[in-house]
Amino acid sequence: MTQTFSDNILYYSPGSVFSNIAVLLLCELGIQDQFEFKPLEMGVDNIAPWYIKLNPKGQVPTLVHLGKPIADSLNIADHIDKCFGLSPVLSTRDPQVLEIVEKWRQVRVLSLIAGKKSEGQDVSQLENILEKSREKVLEYRQENPELKEHYNTRLAMHDERKEILINHDSHLLQKARLESLLDETELALQKNNGELLKGKNRTVA
């Protein structure tokens, strides 16, 4: 994909949990028709110079609204909450809501799906893929010196992602986090008669 020149775009990946949160937020607020939805080929588009300019971490989603890029699903929620005046639908400034959201954001879903699930699992093929991706980022950094700091940010994210994927202990940690959160959620639903937070408006996202 090449860069799209438009004032309102959502760059996302259909396989990304956080991307789908952004899609749901726009649809729930009924403003999806105001934005172009542009899926990215991860490992290609998200490390290209034009995208790194928008989002130095090279992650999805990124919302471009009136020409301004906003990265991260929580920042996107806060931005559209303010710009479209539809609070309290998203509750992005509610401390209780944010506390729950942050706990879920700490769960690395990728590790649970594609990480090293057993100590003896062969992850050499995955390591090769990750190394080639890192080499491409280094190549882009050399070719685009004006984006050196942006690509340094991307490299840090890449290395963190690699650790999460090829380290069995990381997989076990994420699994434990998820199980704990599911238990907390079940208890909250029981305590609050089916509501996660009593008396709080919530979105599907």
Side-chain angles (χ1 to χ4, degrees):
M1 176 189 288
T2 56
Q3 183 175 7
T4 301
F5 295 96
S6 175
D7 285 340
N8 294 335
I9 308 170
L10 177 67
Y11 293 106
Y12 73 106
S13 171
S16 162
V17 172
F18 293 111
S19 282
N20 290 322
I21 288 173
V23 171
L24 282 171
L25 287 171
L26 295 178
C27 292
E28 280 191 287
L29 294 177
I31 57 175
Q32 68 274 16
D33 291 342
Q34 299 183 38
F35 293 85
E36 292 184 57
F37 287 70
K38 296 291 183 180
L40 298 184
E41 182 180 352
M42 301 304 290
V44 179
D45 297 324
N46 67 305
I47 61 173
W50 68 265
Y51 189 74
I52 290 294
K53 289 179 183 178
L54 301 175
N55 186 333
K57 290 184 177 181
Q59 296 178 325
V60 285
T62 297
L63 184 78
V64 178
H65 182 217
L66 301 179
K68 175 186 176 182
I70 302 101
D72 186 274
S73 55
L74 186 57
N75 291 335
I76 290 171
D78 186 56
H79 177 79
I80 61 179
D81 221 0
K82 294 174 181 175
C83 290
F84 291 89
L86 297 172
S87 293
V89 174
L90 305 184
S91 303
T92 55
R93 291 174 292 282
D94 186 315
Q96 287 183 294
V97 172
L98 288 177
E99 182 181 359
I100 292 176
V101 169
E102 285 299 336
K103 286 181 180 180
W104 281 98
R105 282 160 61 89
Q106 294 305 310
V107 177
R108 300 296 189 261
V109 178
L110 187 62
S111 174
L112 297 170
I113 297 173
K116 189 173 182 179
K117 299 179 177 64
S118 67
E119 193 64 52
Q121 181 179 342
D122 182 6
V123 292
S124 57
Q125 185 175 3
L126 177 58
E127 286 184 286
N128 288 335
I129 293 172
L130 291 170
E131 184 57 33
K132 288 180 180 178
S133 177
R134 195 178 199 282
E135 289 173 359
K136 188 63 179 178
V137 173
L138 289 171
E139 180 183 326
Y140 275 136
R141 186 179 67 174
Q142 184 174 0
E143 293 173 350
N144 300 271
E146 75 281 6
L147 296 175
K148 180 180 178 180
E149 292 306 315
H150 287 61
Y151 274 111
N152 285 342
T153 299
R154 174 57 195 172
L155 283 170
M157 297 304 301
H158 179 280
D159 292 343
E160 177 185 340
R161 180 170 175 262
K162 179 181 178 180
E163 178 66 18
I164 289 171
L165 284 171
I166 67 171
N167 189 308
H168 179 53
D169 288 339
S170 292
H171 174 78
L172 293 177
L173 174 62
Q174 300 308 319
K175 185 178 179 181
R177 281 179 176 171
L178 178 60
E179 291 173 349
S180 177
L181 279 173
L182 290 174
D183 289 341
E184 286 183 23
T185 301
E186 182 64 29
L187 287 173
L189 292 173
Q190 292 176 4
K191 180 180 178 181
N192 299 323
N193 296 318
E195 293 182 334
L196 187 57
L197 286 173
K198 193 170 182 61
K200 300 286 186 180
N201 290 322
R202 302 174 308 280
T203 74
V204 173

